Amino acid sequence: MKWEGRRRSSNVEDRRGQRVGGSGGGGFNPMLIGPLLKVLFSKTGLIIVGIIIAISVITGTNPLTFLGNFMGGGGGQGFTTETNYTPSEEEDRLAAFSETILADTEDVWNQLLDNYREPTLVLFSGQVSSACGMASSATGPFYCPGDEKLYIDLSFFKEMEMKLNAPGDFAQAYVIAHEVGHHIQKISGITAEMDKLRGQVSEKEYNQFSVRLELQADFLAGVWANHSQKSIGWMEKGDLAEALNAANAIGDDRLQKQATGRVTPDSFTHGTSAQRMKWFKKGFETGDINQGDTFNTNDL
């Protein structure tokens, strides 16, 4: 991809090198001071304080984090501590690349959708706290509807290359565009409809809906690639193959086969390799957002 020198998005939070020390963020509630003091100085309270101190010593977590949660916190980022983290030159290059791809998704979707609300990209290392809860690098890139942010540990791109055999900058762009696809589902109300199904259908049925949600995000990534290429022509020979290879590499059937040696279709949540490639390619070939209704088709 010819991406160097292009506009980079300003909707970026760089949390690399930060260590999450808690999940407060709800704020201090002064109305709880009196009740809290009564509890802390009771026999039970002293036991609780002792437990908190013990956990703090073992985990290295600030004990005020626990007290903050007890006094009305909850949700949000919480306490963070800067570490002596120095990103490599390659990591900074990947950060610039990710910001450039995000900027281009902004350009495309602002043209295709009325009143498009741009998401924020959060770069993190190791672990991160979001409105959807705590996550580690092992989670992989994800979108959180609660705060409308995309979360990426840039080390995932190296894993794509080394562990999934899915190298290439356009493969990486596909990953970002897929998460932006989930954002479009959020602002269009599709995510809310999915949430209504929780507890109303069986796990097997919910997984089937989840597959359709993920395949639609793949389709939307393809739509972005179509319009982006028409607009600035930055794709090079082999780029499309890189994205299709990445879609193939993260299919449920392939990942399950690699992990356990067998495939369990009822547990699929993202779709097979063939399905993921099909819907990304359909989005790329048509560029028509109206052809991506994965929820009302029998041909996934």
Side-chain angles (χ1 to χ4, degrees):
M1 292 185 70
K2 303 173 184 177
W3 64 270
E4 288 91 349
R6 299 193 181 276
R7 182 179 77 86
R8 292 159 61 174
S9 175
S10 60
N11 295 315
V12 178
E13 292 180 19
D14 192 343
R15 299 190 202 169
R16 291 177 295 166
Q18 292 185 346
R19 180 173 61 84
V20 179
S23 56
F28 176 80
N29 187 347
M31 297 298 292
L32 294 179
I33 293 178
L36 176 68
L37 291 176
K38 290 182 180 179
V39 171
L40 290 180
F41 287 100
S42 67
K43 185 175 181 180
T44 301
L46 293 176
I47 295 175
I48 293 174
V49 171
I51 293 174
I52 290 176
I53 293 175
I55 294 175
S56 300
V57 171
I58 294 172
T59 63
T61 303
N62 188 334
L64 293 178
T65 297
F66 296 100
L67 291 176
N69 292 336
F70 189 74
M71 296 178 72
Q77 180 179 345
F79 293 93
T80 60
T81 302
E82 294 290 343
T83 62
N84 295 323
Y85 181 82
T86 303
S88 66
E89 182 177 338
E90 175 61 18
E91 186 179 333
D92 277 340
R93 182 176 181 277
L94 287 173
F97 169 80
S98 301
E99 293 164 6
T100 302
I101 298 301
L102 182 64
D104 193 71
T105 65
E106 294 166 353
D107 294 340
V108 168
W109 291 114
N110 273 309
Q111 290 179 355
L112 296 180
L113 301 177
D114 294 331
N115 302 314
Y116 178 62
R117 190 165 64 242
E118 298 173 354
T120 296
L121 172 66
V122 178
L123 304 176
F124 73 96
S125 54
Q127 62 177 352
V128 71
S129 178
S130 74
C132 297
M134 290 287 298
S136 70
S137 301
T139 305
F142 68 96
Y143 171 74
C144 176
D147 53 25
E148 298 190 356
K149 295 179 180 181
L150 293 66
Y151 292 82
I152 298 179
D153 185 325
L154 296 172
S155 65
F156 177 77
F157 292 144
K158 179 61 67 175
E159 291 188 14
M160 284 180 62
E161 177 181 354
M162 304 301 293
K163 296 183 180 180
L164 299 177
N165 194 28
D169 49 12
F170 200 71
Q172 298 162 358
Y174 154 70
V175 170
I176 297 172
H178 173 90
E179 299 306 332
V180 172
H182 283 311
H183 175 64
I184 294 169
Q185 292 171 323
K186 159 66 189 299
I187 62 179
S188 62
I190 296 173
T191 304
E193 291 299 316
M194 276 288 294
D195 289 341
K196 292 179 182 178
L197 294 174
R198 292 186 183 276
Q200 297 183 7
V201 298
S202 67
E203 181 179 357
K204 177 182 176 180
E205 290 175 309
Y206 189 83
N207 286 344
Q208 293 172 349
F209 281 110
S210 178
V211 166
R212 293 175 183 271
L213 187 77
E214 295 295 334
L215 293 179
Q216 187 177 67
D218 283 333
F219 171 83
L220 292 171
V223 170
W224 159 76
N226 172 291
H227 289 271
S228 178
Q229 177 64 5
K230 287 181 179 178
S231 176
I232 59 179
W234 59 353
M235 288 176 62
E236 300 175 293
K237 183 178 180 180
D239 278 348
L240 179 59
E242 288 178 2
L244 291 173
N245 179 54
N248 176 67
I250 55 179
D252 283 326
D253 53 343
R254 179 170 176 174
L255 292 176
Q256 286 188 0
K257 186 72 173 179
Q258 290 176 337
T260 66
R262 57 193 180 93
V263 176
T264 309
D266 287 348
S267 66
F268 288 175
T269 57
H270 286 66
T272 67
S273 294
Q275 289 171 331
R276 302 201 69 169
M277 289 190 292
K278 172 185 174 178
W279 283 96
F280 175 84
K281 191 174 182 180
K282 183 176 182 179
F284 180 76
E285 291 178 344
T286 67
D288 183 0
I289 192 172
N290 295 314
Q291 295 194 40
D293 187 359
T294 56
F295 290 90
N296 293 294
T297 180
N298 295 321
D299 184 23
L300 289 179

